[in-house]
């Protein structure tokens, strides 16, 4: 047997090399050189690693190449997503710097773990091979299990990690089985090959040849595994418990980063491999999106715990983002990218405010903490109000335009009923977002909360709030980039 | 300059933000007041300088290319629907921008003196600056949506500033009335915009793809597309809907009732918003969209009728008022009617000419009346004035100049623009319209003569206050405006037609040839104006002894009920009160407030809320924390999806 080594272009995986390399190096540096109690330095080093990862993307800009036998690609879509992921990771690290010591859970491994998870995001955005995507998902899951249980010995954190692990293993099984079925039908795990197989099948299709049933079922199982990661109803059950139990920066990180990365991989799968059978899976995903919007937003109404409320709200937002995918159009992908950016900035900002208000050992995250915040910390309250309005989709915020774009894309693709559900659930959502604003500005303080406002987190909140407004007024700053990403995807 | 066009509206916006965010926090009241005034004036003044530079630059361009257009950014752009934020600076916009910033600057400076020691002065200047921003957006917008944003913005500022002294019941009532009445007009505007977008797919004013050009194109085709309204119906519909918007904002029949009440605001606000700029927005809108209006003769005649009727009602109402500002308010209504009538007759350049001269001399009159009110310690009833020319010589002089300009007496600004409108009516052979406008111009001269006599001549009838002249901060803006009122007509002299020529790229109008008829008309009109003004002046000087607080006008003897009708502006307000407000408000509001709202709306809201809460409780029930339940729900989903695929495929 003749083994031919494929052409390998290391440049294609340069961001991956940099981020995983810096994560590994950081792990060692932290172990040997950083004294306990001064782990912030590790955090700063991790930020430097992220910076280098971002810089590694610069020479690749505009490149469109695939390597490693077509397993990995680099294109504008991946690079745009990388920028978003780096922003997410950087904000997560900055808001953790003071949070971890305050909660007494400062361990140096936290920051390398964030880097590993971010590396898996990058991997997911660049993979065009089911095995590699599975690898990315698993890497991501395992780091997240650890990060979720990071608040040891807080019981709720351990419980959350356990639940996440059990259900995650359950979902991973579906993923592998799905890949196996797809392989059984097509004899390949390469997305481009699958597409070739399907087009050939279609052109030679006669009544005698059966449809690609195995592939469809396999595809459905993969879709289910992704739905679990993205937290689509009914595969979302773990979300409220895990989001509530995990340390708050981890929750913030998961709520935006995991969704973005998993959706990016899903978009690769459905646009590259499965466009010819979209009649089969688009209705499925559309129904999931509808159920997610309804359950997420309705569920949030009953919550009095702000962190849990945001967990449900993030379930609801997953439904809106998926609208961009089910639209299966260039506008849909643009909308997805814009929504992801808007939602990331907004949600990270909102979680940063929660972190500021979170006391040591506290696990209430009660609405009462927000009562009268407008009097005590007017600027913080204004920022929080802005984030809530953006989440609710009120102009002139980025969140409003994100919703507008996904709805417009879905509408153009003839999914009017889905848009209708989206608009109705958005109206329901206004209730619980406004409740926080009402608490902040129209209630008297219930109890004394000392906000832990450090310079780094204050700046993060200010920058996030500014960006939410900026993209609300000038979406074109980002839309152009998104449009080029769509071209890269062949949209 | 085209690249930095956005600086013109940005400067007042910065002034607004500075006042709202920084100056407001200052604890030293005197310093706060000083800073607020200087910042506001500086912002508008600089905007005027920039606008002037841009204007010069525009004038240097070849005549056909006189047009600056900047798209700042695309706010929303999804395939078929795009909202660009773009600024347009063409001949029409340029004169409006100069008027807004120029007169605006003077009124800002005047306000420093007028609002001295007011406790909410920072708020006042902030809103005044915001108004300028919105007004600039309105006249510089390159599409109807952005224009509408400015349109609503000036409405909001007008509401806020009329209600500046909101602890006075009349002021807050007037603010609400202005807002509500304008809502009716805005509904018309919105419907017009939707119709335009539905049929032309764009709201832009600029370029070949603008709805103005498209309207012209379809008007060329005499083919009727089945299922579509004919173009004549379409343009008539759009024009009439736009006209509804115009009647609201520009105080035309039947929606003019808010303007006289709006005088409850500070006088500089009346000068800026309710005389010189905002109320002329409707005329500007008609000029901007004239290619739609000209396609519909029906709409044109309706516009003319509305304008002429408003001119007459406003003019007759103005002669019977006692409040110094209400005279000017009705006069403004009447003059706006003139402009609308001119637009209706297709003479858009003439309408804009009158808009500009009126903007100058009416601002002058309002500011001068503010000076009178200020000097007379907040007395506004002319029956309690008299003989003020001795105490306020400067105010008297500028007031007289403004009055002569408004009366249309040669050679002041009002003469030239009013005469053009009269000549247009005569030239079109519309004798009825000409007659009414001519009578109105005599009424105008008469009530200005009456007002001068009542305020400045004779003896002071109420000696309970000591009138004094206003300070230089208030008088020098008056002098500048007075100079403008004297020479303003020079911008569009007959034969030369500088302004008409300047506006030609936008309005496509030629200046009319000057002939003997026009000359005779001018002589007759001036003669009539001088006569009426002298009549008004003489009559009220002679009958000064009959004028006492709370007594009827001496002319009441001759006119009786008709005089009352004039004083109440032909009972339009009362008609609303009797036939809409009382029956509808009482019954409908009662029904809405006591039955529909608590049971219908609240019931629905509460019902939905209960439903959602019930569902949420259901969600919580399943969300019981047990992994096995979660896995079960997960599996249910898997079975449902696989089942669907197997059955459906």
């Amino acid at each position: 047997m003749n083994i031919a080594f494929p052409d390998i272009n290391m440049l294609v995986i340069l961001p991956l090399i940099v981020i995983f390399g810096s994560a590994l190096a950081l792990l060692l540096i932290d172990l040997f050189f950083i004294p306990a109690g001064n782990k912030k330095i590790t955090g700063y080093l991790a930020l430097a690693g992220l910076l280098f990862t971002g810089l590694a993307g610069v020479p690749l800009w505009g490149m469109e190449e695939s390597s490693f036998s077509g397993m990995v690609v680099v294109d504008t879509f991946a690079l745009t997503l990388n920028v978003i992921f780096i922003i997410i990771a950087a904000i997560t690290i900055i808001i953790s710097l003071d949070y971890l010591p305050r909660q007494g859970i400062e361990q140096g491994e936290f920051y390398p773990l964030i880097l590993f998870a971010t590396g898996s995001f990058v991997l997911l955005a660049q993979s065009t091979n089911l095995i590699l995507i599975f690898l990315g998902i698993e890497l991501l899951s395992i780091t997240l299990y650890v990060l979720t249980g990071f608040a040891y010995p807080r019981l709720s954190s351990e419980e959350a990690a356990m639940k996440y692990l059990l259900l995650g293993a359950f979902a991973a099984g579906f993923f592998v089985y799905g890949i196996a079925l797809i392989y059984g039908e097509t004899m390949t795990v390469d997305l481009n090959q699958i597409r070739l197989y399907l087009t050939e099948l279609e052109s030679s299709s006669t009544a005698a040849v059966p449809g690609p049933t195995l592939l469809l079922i396999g595809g459905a199982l993969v879709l289910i595994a992704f739905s679990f990661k993205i937290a689509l109803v009914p595969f979302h059950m773990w979300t409220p418990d895990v989001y509530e139990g995990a340390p708050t920066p981890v929750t913030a990180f998961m709520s935006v980063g995991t969704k973005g990365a998993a959706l990016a991989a899903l978009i690769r799968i459905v646009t590259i491999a499965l466009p010819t059978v979209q009649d089969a899976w688009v209705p499925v995903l559309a129904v999931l999106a509808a159920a997610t919007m309804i359950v997420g937003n309705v569920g949030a109404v009953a919550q009095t715990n702000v962190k849990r409320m945001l967990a449900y709200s993030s379930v609801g937002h997953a439904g809106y983002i998926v609208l961009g995918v089910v639209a299966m159009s260039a506008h849909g992908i643009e909308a997805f990218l814009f929504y992801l950016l808007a939602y990331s900035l907004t949600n990270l900002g909102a979680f940063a405010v929660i972190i500021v208000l979170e006391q040591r050992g506290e696990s209430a995250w009660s609405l009462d903490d927000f009562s009268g915040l407008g009097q005590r910390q007017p600027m913080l309250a204004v920022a929080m109000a802005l984030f809530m309005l953006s989440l609710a989709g009120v102009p002139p915020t980025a969140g409003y335009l994100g919703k507008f774009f996904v709805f417009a894309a879905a509408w153009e693709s003839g999914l009017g009923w889905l848009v209708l559900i989206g608009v109705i659930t958005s109206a329901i959502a206004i209730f619980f977002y406004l409740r926080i604003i009402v608490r902040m500005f129209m209630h008297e303080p219930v109890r004394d909360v000392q906000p832990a406002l450090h310079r780094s987190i204050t700046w993060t909140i200010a920058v996030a709030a500014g960006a939410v407004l900026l993209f609300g007024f000038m979406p074109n700053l980002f839309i152009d980039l998104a449009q080029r990403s769509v071209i890269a995807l062949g949209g | 300059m085209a690249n930095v066009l956005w600086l013109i509206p940005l400067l007042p916006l910065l002034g607004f933000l500075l006042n709202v965010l920084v100056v407001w926090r200052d604890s030293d009241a005197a310093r706060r007041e000083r800073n607020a005034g200087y910042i506001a004036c500086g912002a508008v003044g600089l905007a005027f300088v920039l606008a002037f530079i841009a204007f010069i630059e525009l004038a240097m361009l070849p005549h056909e290319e006189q047009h600056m257009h900047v798209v700042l950014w695309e706010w929303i752009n999804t395939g078929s629907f795009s909202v660009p934020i773009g600024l347009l600076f063409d001949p029409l916009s340029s004169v409006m921008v100069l008027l807004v910033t120029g007169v605006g600057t003077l009124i800002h400076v005047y306000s420093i003196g007028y609002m001295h020691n007011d406790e909410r002065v920072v708020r006042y200047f902030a809103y005044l600056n915001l108004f300028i921003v919105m007004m600039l957006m309105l006249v510089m917008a390159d599409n109807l949506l952005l224009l509408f944003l400015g349109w609503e913005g000036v409405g909001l500022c007008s509401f806020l500033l009329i209600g500046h002294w909101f602890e006075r019941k009349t002021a807050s009532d007037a603010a609400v009335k202005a807002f509500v009445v304008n809502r009716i007009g805005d509904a018309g505007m919105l419907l017009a915009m939707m119709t335009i977008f539905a049929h032309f797919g764009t709201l832009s004013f600029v370029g070949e793809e603008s709805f103005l050009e498209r309207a012209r194109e379809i008007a060329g085709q005499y083919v009727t597309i089945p299922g579509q309204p004919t173009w004549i119906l379409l343009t008539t519909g759009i024009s009439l809907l736009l006209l509804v918007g115009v009647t609201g904002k520009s105080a035309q029949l039947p929606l003019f009732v808010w303007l006289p009440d709006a005088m409850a605001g500070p006088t500089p606000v009346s000068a800026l918003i309710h005389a010189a700029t905002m109320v002329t927005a409707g005329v500007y809108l008609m000029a901007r969209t004239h290619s739609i209006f000209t396609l519909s003769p029906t709409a044109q005649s309706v516009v003319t009728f509305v304008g002429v009727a408003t001119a007459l009602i406003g003019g007759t109402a103005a002669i019977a008022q006692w409040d110094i500002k209400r005279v000017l308010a009705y006069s403004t209504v009447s003059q706006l009617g003139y402009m609308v009538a001119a637009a209706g007759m297709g003479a858009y350049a003439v309408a804009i000419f009158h808009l500009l001269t009126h903007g100058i001399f009416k601002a002058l009159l309002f500011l001068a009346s503010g000076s009178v009110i200020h000097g007379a310690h907040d007395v506004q009833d002319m029956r309690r004035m008299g003989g003020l020319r001795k105490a306020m010589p400067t105010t008297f002089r500028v007031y007289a100049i403004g009055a002569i300009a408004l009366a249309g007496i040669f050679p002041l600004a009002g003469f030239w623009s009013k005469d053009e409108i009269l000549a247009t009516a005569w030239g079109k052979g519309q004798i009825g319209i000409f007659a009414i406008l001519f009578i109105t111009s005599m009424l105008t001269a008469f009530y200005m003569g009456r007002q001068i006599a009542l305020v400045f001549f004779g003896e002071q009838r109420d000696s309970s206050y000591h009138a004094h002249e206003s300070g230089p901060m208030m008088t020098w803006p008056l002098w500048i405006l007075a100079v403008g009122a004297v020479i303003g007509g020079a911008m569009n002299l007959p034969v030369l037609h500088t302004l008409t020529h300047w506006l030609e790229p936008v309005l496509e109008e030629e200046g009319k040839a000057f002939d003997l008829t026009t000359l005779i008309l001018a002589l007759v009109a001036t003669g009539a104006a001088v006569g009426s003004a002298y009549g008004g002046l003489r009559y009220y000087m002679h009958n000064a002894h009959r004028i006492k607080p709370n007594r009827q006008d001496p002319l009441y003897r001759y006119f009786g009920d008709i005089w009352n009708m004039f004083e109440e502006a032909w009972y339009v307000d009362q008609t609303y009160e009797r036939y809409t407000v009382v029956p509808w408000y009482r019954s409908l509001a009662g029904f809405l407030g006591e039955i529909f709202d608590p049971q219908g709306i609240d019931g629905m809201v509460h019902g939905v809320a209960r439903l959602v809460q019930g569902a949420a409780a259901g969600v919580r029930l399943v969300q019981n924390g047990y992994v096995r339940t979660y896995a079960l729900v997960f599996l249910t989903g898997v079975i449902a999806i696989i089942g669907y695929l197997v059955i459906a495929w």
Side-chain angles (χ1 to χ4, degrees):
Chain A
M1 193 173 165
N2 182 17
I3 297 175
F5 282 98
D7 281 343
I8 289 178
N9 184 355
M10 287 306 225
L11 211 54
V12 171
I13 56 164
L14 188 63
L16 285 167
I17 297 175
V18 175
I19 194 159
F20 283 125
S22 43
L24 287 169
L26 199 57
L27 215 48
L28 293 175
I29 295 171
D30 178 65
L31 190 58
F32 292 111
F33 300 107
I34 313 287
N38 219 350
K39 295 296 185 190
K40 267 188 195 174
I41 298 172
T42 318
Y44 294 131
L45 289 175
L47 284 176
L50 287 173
L51 182 68
F52 288 129
T53 315
L55 290 177
V58 175
L60 307 183
W61 204 253
M63 204 164 129
E64 214 166 303
E65 209 169 313
S66 112
S67 189
F68 294 90
S69 312
M71 288 173 92
V72 185
V73 291
V74 64
D75 55 15
T76 315
F77 180 69
L79 291 171
T80 307
L81 279 165
N82 283 0
V83 174
I84 300 180
F85 293 148
I86 289 168
I87 293 172
I88 292 171
I91 294 180
T92 308
I93 289 174
I94 295 172
I95 61 181
S96 309
L97 287 174
D98 287 304
Y99 175 87
L100 296 179
R102 195 146 40 90
Q103 299 288 324
I105 53 170
E106 189 180 41
Q107 304 285 338
E109 297 83 41
F110 183 87
Y111 303 107
L113 280 172
I114 294 282
L115 287 193
F116 276 121
T118 312
S120 66
F121 294 168
V122 176
L123 183 60
L124 283 170
Q126 287 194 275
S127 308
T128 51
N129 183 300
L130 285 175
I131 298 291
L132 210 57
I133 291 173
F134 179 68
L135 193 68
I137 289 279
E138 281 314 290
L139 182 60
L140 170 64
S141 304
I142 291 164
T143 36
L144 285 182
Y145 302 150
V146 179
L147 283 170
T148 306
F150 210 79
Y152 180 82
R154 186 153 56 78
L155 213 55
S156 64
S157 169
E158 301 312 291
E159 184 190 329
M162 199 61 192
K163 280 182 185 166
Y164 196 16
L165 171 67
L166 286 173
L167 288 167
F170 192 56
F174 284 95
F175 201 152
V176 180
Y177 194 44
I179 296 176
L181 288 179
I182 291 173
Y183 185 77
E185 168 98 33
T186 64
M187 303 309 256
T188 178
V189 286
D190 185 290
L191 298 182
N192 287 305
Q193 303 286 337
I194 296 173
R195 188 230 280 276
L196 279 181
Y197 173 85
L198 283 173
T199 35
E200 269 171 37
L201 190 73
E202 204 174 24
S203 56
S204 67
S205 179
T206 54
V209 183
T213 319
L214 273 186
L215 177 123
L216 280 181
I217 292 178
L221 294 180
V222 171
L223 186 70
I224 285 162
F226 273 108
S227 305
F228 172 79
K229 276 286 152 213
I230 305 163
L232 294 186
V233 172
F235 312 106
H236 72 292
M237 301 291 285
W238 56 279
T239 325
D241 294 4
V242 172
Y243 280 14
E244 191 189 342
T248 312
V250 175
T251 308
F253 183 66
M254 277 197 284
S255 68
V256 294
T258 315
K259 282 194 206 331
L263 272 166
L266 186 63
I267 285 175
R268 289 257 190 227
I269 295 177
V270 296
T271 53
I272 298 176
L274 304 177
T276 50
V277 287
Q278 56 171 292
D279 289 350
W281 62 264
V282 162
V284 173
L285 201 54
V287 170
L288 291 184
T292 307
M293 291 187 284
I294 294 169
V295 172
N297 287 307
V298 169
V301 169
Q303 307 304 324
T304 51
N305 175 328
V306 178
K307 205 170 163 188
R308 214 172 159 80
M309 187 275 275
L310 281 180
Y312 273 102
S313 123
S314 93
V315 171
H317 280 282
Y320 298 119
I321 304 187
V322 169
L323 287 191
V325 183
V326 286
M328 275 304 274
S329 63
H331 279 147
I333 308 294
E334 273 168 51
F336 156 73
L337 286 169
F338 189 84
Y339 201 108
L340 182 62
L341 178 76
Y343 175 61
S344 301
L345 290 168
T346 313
N347 219 30
L348 288 169
F351 273 111
V353 176
I354 290 182
I355 285 174
V356 165
L357 296 176
E358 194 171 330
Q359 308 291 303
R360 176 168 182 159
E362 186 80 48
S363 57
W365 300 289
S366 157
L367 268 175
D368 291 341
D369 293 356
F370 286 88
S371 295
L373 192 67
Q375 294 169 25
R376 287 177 290 141
Q377 293 284 339
M379 293 319 266
L380 189 67
V382 165
M384 187 64 177
L386 188 68
F387 296 137
M388 289 300 117
L389 290 178
S390 180
L391 286 176
V394 176
T397 56
Y400 158 71
L401 282 179
K403 275 218 175 84
F404 177 80
F405 289 142
V406 290
F407 287 164
W411 182 268
E412 281 169 14
S413 299
L415 294 164
W417 62 276
L418 211 49
V419 175
L420 187 68
I421 292 179
V423 171
I424 292 173
T425 52
S426 298
I428 294 176
I430 288 177
F431 167 75
F432 53 82
Y433 294 126
L434 276 189
R435 189 161 57 182
I436 290 192
I437 297 180
V438 169
R439 283 277 178 157
M440 289 193 298
F441 292 100
M442 292 157 90
H443 282 218
E444 291 300 313
V446 174
R447 61 203 194 104
D448 191 36
V449 180
Q450 280 301 323
L453 274 171
H454 294 269
R455 200 190 302 156
S456 55
I457 202 161
T458 313
W459 275 105
T460 310
I461 293 171
V463 168
V468 165
L469 265 187
L470 180 70
F471 287 116
F473 276 111
M474 301 182 152
N476 273 17
L477 293 178
F478 183 74
I479 288 286
D480 296 337
L481 202 60
Q483 272 162 355
R484 268 187 284 160
S485 311
V486 174
I487 294 163
L489 262 183
Chain B
M1 192 62 214
N3 301 325
V4 291
L5 220 47
W6 45 269
L7 267 178
I8 299 175
L10 184 74
L11 282 167
L13 183 65
L14 284 179
F16 163 72
L17 290 175
L18 263 180
N19 268 337
V20 165
L21 296 176
V22 183
V23 178
W24 167 76
R25 289 160 174 264
D26 200 335
S27 53
D28 181 349
R31 192 172 58 200
R32 195 169 60 207
E33 183 186 319
R34 200 180 57 228
N35 287 346
Y38 286 166
I39 287 171
C41 293
V44 185
L46 273 176
F48 173 68
V49 172
L50 283 178
F52 194 73
I53 296 172
F55 175 76
I56 297 289
E57 215 167 288
L58 194 68
M60 308 279 257
L61 292 171
H63 203 53
E64 314 76 56
E65 295 166 23
Q66 277 176 349
H67 171 95
M68 292 184 197
H69 182 220
V70 210
V71 176
L72 297 181
W73 73 85
E74 297 260 325
W75 188 48
I76 292 177
N77 188 0
T78 60
S80 56
F81 180 70
S82 83
V83 184
I85 309 271
L87 296 181
L88 176 67
F89 197 75
D90 65 357
L92 179 58
S93 298
S94 70
V95 291
M96 292 300 290
V97 169
L98 284 180
L99 177 75
V100 171
T101 52
V103 174
T105 306
L106 294 173
I107 292 173
H108 273 70
V109 173
Y110 176 94
S111 294
I112 294 180
Y114 193 84
M115 299 304 283
H116 185 53
N117 285 338
D118 188 277
E119 53 182 316
R120 285 191 291 268
V121 70
V122 181
R123 208 178 110 107
Y124 171 85
F125 277 113
Y127 289 158
L128 217 52
N129 265 351
L130 187 65
F131 169 79
I132 298 280
V133 179
M134 291 301 171
M135 193 66 206
L136 287 174
M137 196 149 93
L138 197 162
V139 296
M140 291 173 83
D142 74 340
N143 63 69
L144 204 53
L145 187 65
L146 196 60
L147 183 147
F148 187 66
L149 220 62
W151 182 278
E152 289 296 299
V154 290
L156 172 70
C157 294
S158 160
F159 165 78
L160 292 170
L161 284 165
I162 295 170
H164 180 73
W165 293 308
F166 51 76
E167 57 279 333
R168 301 181 189 166
K169 182 92 170 74
T170 48
S172 70
D173 281 356
V176 171
K177 184 172 177 182
F179 205 71
V180 171
V181 173
N182 267 299
R183 233 65 331 242
I184 301 169
D186 294 345
M189 271 288 278
L190 272 174
L191 289 174
M193 278 181 2
M194 290 174 198
T195 317
I196 289 170
F197 189 77
H199 285 276
F200 302 111
T202 175
L203 291 172
S204 173
F205 299 138
V206 188
E208 297 295 308
E209 291 296 297
S210 69
F211 69 89
L212 303 173
E213 290 296 321
R214 296 234 184 135
R216 246 186 269 235
E217 272 167 34
I218 60 158
Q221 308 155 357
Y222 283 86
V223 193
T224 310
I225 306 156
Q228 294 277 318
T230 55
W231 60 267
I232 191 93
L233 193 64
L234 185 64
T235 50
T236 308
I238 293 173
S239 307
L240 291 180
L241 286 171
L242 286 172
L243 178 65
V244 173
V246 171
T247 55
K249 192 70 53 184
S250 287
Q252 296 297 297
L253 198 69
L255 297 181
F256 67 83
V257 291
W258 64 272
L259 187 61
D261 287 12
M263 297 301 126
T267 307
V269 170
S270 312
L272 179 62
I273 301 183
H274 305 121
T277 56
M278 182 186 84
V279 289
T280 61
V283 181
Y284 167 78
L285 177 71
M286 287 202 290
R288 180 57 78 193
T289 56
H290 69 281
S291 39
I292 299 256
F293 278 92
T294 40
L295 287 174
S296 167
T298 321
Q300 288 279 68
S301 27
V302 176
V303 171
T304 315
F305 173 76
V306 166
V308 169
T310 311
L312 184 65
I313 293 181
T316 49
I319 59 170
Q321 301 302 316
W322 285 122
D323 185 311
I324 182 170
K325 281 177 75 182
R326 278 180 92 86
V327 174
L328 296 176
Y330 277 114
S331 157
T332 306
V333 170
S334 164
Q335 297 301 309
L336 288 167
Y338 256 85
M339 298 171 210
V340 171
M345 291 184 290
Y348 294 97
V350 176
I352 295 291
F353 180 33
H354 195 55
L355 187 163
L356 295 173
T357 56
H358 175 260
I360 296 168
F361 60 66
K362 192 51 77 60
L364 168 64
L365 282 170
F366 263 113
L367 292 186
S369 80
S371 175
V372 170
I373 295 166
H374 196 70
H377 304 276
D378 291 336
V379 170
Q380 298 198 15
D381 189 335
M382 295 192 292
R383 284 170 291 195
R384 294 176 57 198
M385 296 178 180
L388 294 182
R389 80 176 186 284
K390 275 165 256 158
M392 302 182 195
T394 311
T395 306
F396 166 63
R397 285 189 198 113
V398 294
Y399 210 109
I401 293 172
I404 296 170
L406 172 59
I409 293 172
F410 182 84
L412 274 67
F415 164 75
W416 305 101
S417 53
K418 187 177 288 186
D419 195 54
E420 289 254 7
I421 296 176
L422 290 174
T424 307
W426 183 268
K428 297 250 170 190
Q430 315 247 29
I431 302 305
I433 288 165
F434 172 80
I436 298 177
L437 289 179
F438 191 81
I439 292 169
T440 311
S441 87
M442 287 173 63
L443 287 172
T444 311
F446 181 81
Y447 62 67
M448 285 325 289
R450 170 179 181 261
Q451 192 174 38
I452 296 271
L454 286 174
V455 175
F456 293 104
F457 286 93
E459 294 301 318
Q460 192 172 327
R461 287 177 289 273
D462 179 353
S463 53
S464 65
Y465 61 89
H466 274 283
H468 62 83
E469 184 57 277
S470 305
M473 215 51 164
M474 286 166 69
T475 46
W476 73 256
L478 290 175
W479 277 117
I480 296 177
L481 284 170
V483 171
V486 173
I487 61 168
M491 67 176 121
N492 205 24
L493 292 175
V495 185
L496 294 176
H497 289 298
T498 328
L499 183 74
T500 312
H501 188 62
W502 171 250
L503 293 173
E504 203 192 309
V506 187
L507 300 179
E508 296 140 339
E509 263 176 63
E510 300 277 334
K512 268 199 324 301
F514 188 77
D515 52 20
L516 192 64
T517 332
T518 327
L519 184 67
I520 294 171
L521 262 179
L523 288 175
V524 171
T526 307
V530 171
S532 312
Y534 183 71
L537 194 68
R538 272 310 289 250
Y539 183 80
Y540 283 90
M541 278 168 70
H542 261 282
N543 289 290
H545 59 280
R546 294 177 195 274
I547 296 156
K548 299 218 171 62
N550 300 322
R551 280 265 303 266
Q552 281 287 7
D553 192 279
L555 279 176
Y556 180 73
R557 284 188 298 168
Y558 307 109
F559 288 89
D561 285 347
I562 296 178
W563 191 262
N564 280 341
M565 182 179 90
F566 288 169
E567 189 170 357
E568 295 297 335
W570 298 39
Y571 299 118
V572 174
D573 234 348
Q574 283 78 354
T575 312
Y576 286 152
E577 180 73 23
R578 183 172 300 168
Y579 294 105
T580 42
V581 177
V582 172
W584 287 96
Y585 181 77
R586 295 282 148 72
S587 58
L588 191 70
F591 169 72
L592 288 176
E594 279 147 38
I595 298 164
F596 185 70
D597 199 45
Q599 289 174 20
I601 302 278
D602 284 8
M604 209 163 77
V605 170
H606 289 150
V608 169
R610 260 198 297 278
L611 192 75
V612 168
Q613 273 169 356
V619 171
R620 273 173 85 142
L621 198 69
V622 183
Q623 195 78 43
N624 57 9
Y626 290 117
V627 175
R628 56 172 181 271
T629 318
Y630 297 178
L632 184 67
V633 175
F634 191 125
L635 214 56
T636 320
V638 175
I639 291 165
I641 290 174
I642 303 289
Y644 163 78
L645 283 178
V646 169
I647 292 166
W649 286 73

